[in-house]
Amino acid sequence: MENKYGLQPKIPLSFKSFAGFIIIFVIWQGGTLLWLNLMNTLIPATRSGFPSFITLFLSFWFLILGVVLVTRYFFKIPFRTFLFEGKRPDLRKFAIYFSLYFLALILYLIIDLAVHPQAFTFHFDPLPWLGVFIVAAPLILVQSAAEEMLFRGYMYRMFRSLKGGAFWSICITSLTFALIHGYNPEMLSYGIWGPLYYLLGAFFLGIVAYHTNGLAAPIGIHFATNLFNFTIWGYGTSTAESMGLQNIVFRHTLDMPFAFFGIFAIVILYGAFQLFKYKRNRS
């Protein structure tokens, strides 16, 4: 356990670290509110369609700014050290986990299409799709990385000083992530399955962060998930549908129990892989 992710650099669980979390959240949400109001006033086109997506996703720089300021001035941790634990960016690990998870999502989509063909409509228009993809992909990467810095970066480290810290870090960050994401109006329309989906997804990201000793792999998975959801498929009740995003297939209604058991299968397979690797290394 001592050699796994989250020990260095330390962010001890204390009043200061909780205050830091609140400050990060205030900078993120306060900056976002001011930014959106300013842009909507100066450029009315940003109130809807694809410009609204660009404006909203640019606001995630405020979350990154909050993490940078708190880690630097509360805990004297340079941002590079916080993000990479004093090492270089692990682009190889990022690319591997991104690619594998994206392929898993494509496989999930193929299975869903085979089981529920009547639920889908194809409307792929290559040139508009490519134009939107080129602009959206970097913004989605920023958004995914920013959320991982907060949940699997800052919050995860906060609870590592507890006895059984890795367990509590994964559980508490997963619950917080699920509360923020799973209880939005879009997910609540699916009952308990929305929060459960996000809880299991966040748990998986925490497990991956622990086993890979850093943020590169969870950022890769988070990026793959959001890129898939925003550019490959769309579905009814998705807020992305009102933002002018282009996708390849459209699912009329999202089957949340089916999606939940899809990610459940991925978690089980990943757990089996880690168990196999552990036994092989011991033999």
Side-chain angles (χ1 to χ4, degrees):
M1 297 287 280
E2 291 78 17
N3 296 324
K4 297 297 184 178
Y5 167 68
L7 290 180
Q8 297 295 334
K10 293 180 180 178
I11 296 179
L13 183 63
S14 62
F15 174 79
K16 183 193 282 189
S17 58
F18 274 108
F21 177 78
I22 293 170
I23 289 171
I24 291 170
F25 202 83
V26 168
I27 292 173
W28 175 24
Q29 295 299 307
T32 296
L33 185 62
L34 290 172
W35 165 254
L36 293 179
N37 283 335
L38 177 64
M39 293 303 295
N40 291 169
T41 302
L42 294 177
I43 310 174
T46 60
R47 295 173 186 172
S48 62
F50 193 52
S52 72
F53 171 85
I54 296 172
T55 308
L56 177 62
F57 273 60
L58 282 173
S59 71
F60 280 91
W61 283 106
F62 289 105
L63 175 51
I64 296 174
L65 175 64
V67 174
V68 170
L69 292 176
V70 168
T71 52
R72 179 69 182 85
Y73 294 105
F74 274 46
F75 302 100
K76 309 302 179 187
I77 302 171
F79 184 62
R80 181 185 176 86
T81 305
F82 167 82
L83 189 56
F84 306 124
E85 294 206 323
K87 309 168 197 171
R88 289 189 193 176
D90 199 335
L91 298 178
R92 181 174 176 273
K93 196 174 287 182
F94 168 84
I96 289 171
Y97 274 81
F98 169 83
S99 301
L100 289 175
Y101 201 78
F102 200 82
L103 287 173
L105 291 170
I106 295 296
L107 178 61
Y108 165 82
L109 177 58
I110 291 170
I111 294 171
D112 198 10
L113 279 163
V115 175
H116 310 107
Q118 71 287 349
F120 287 89
T121 302
F122 288 85
H123 52 71
F124 182 48
D125 196 350
L127 286 179
W129 180 87
L130 183 61
V132 168
F133 182 88
I134 290 170
V135 176
L139 296 173
I140 295 169
L141 177 58
V142 169
Q143 177 258 341
S144 304
E147 290 194 356
E148 289 307 304
M149 288 174 203
L150 176 62
F151 292 102
R152 260 65 59 180
Y154 187 89
M155 282 191 68
Y156 187 104
R157 285 182 173 92
M158 276 177 60
F159 297 98
R160 286 290 271 144
S161 58
L162 295 173
K163 186 177 180 180
F167 171 80
W168 290 113
S169 293
I170 292 169
C171 288
I172 294 171
T173 55
S174 299
L175 283 169
T176 308
F177 190 87
L179 285 171
I180 292 174
H181 291 82
Y183 282 93
N184 61 56
E186 177 185 335
M187 285 293 109
L188 281 177
S189 62
Y190 299 102
I192 193 62
W193 291 106
L196 281 178
Y197 172 83
Y198 276 103
L199 180 63
L200 186 59
F203 180 80
F204 176 57
L205 289 169
I207 291 290
V208 169
Y210 173 76
H211 280 291
T212 59
N213 293 311
L215 290 177
I219 289 175
I221 291 171
H222 202 141
F223 179 44
T225 303
N226 289 354
L227 190 67
F228 179 85
N229 287 335
F230 283 119
T231 65
I232 302 300
W233 81 335
Y235 55 88
T237 74
S238 171
T239 53
E241 292 305 302
S242 64
M243 292 183 173
L245 291 163
Q246 298 285 324
N247 44 58
I248 297 173
V249 295
F250 181 80
R251 201 185 201 287
H252 306 295
T253 0
L254 183 59
D255 188 340
M256 277 308 300
F258 191 76
F260 174 83
F261 285 107
I263 196 171
F264 181 75
I266 291 172
V267 172
I268 295 298
L269 287 171
Y270 187 76
F273 165 72
Q274 290 297 337
L275 182 61
F276 168 77
K277 190 168 74 170
Y278 172 76
K279 288 185 175 180
R280 187 187 62 182
N281 291 340
R282 289 199 48 156
S283 60

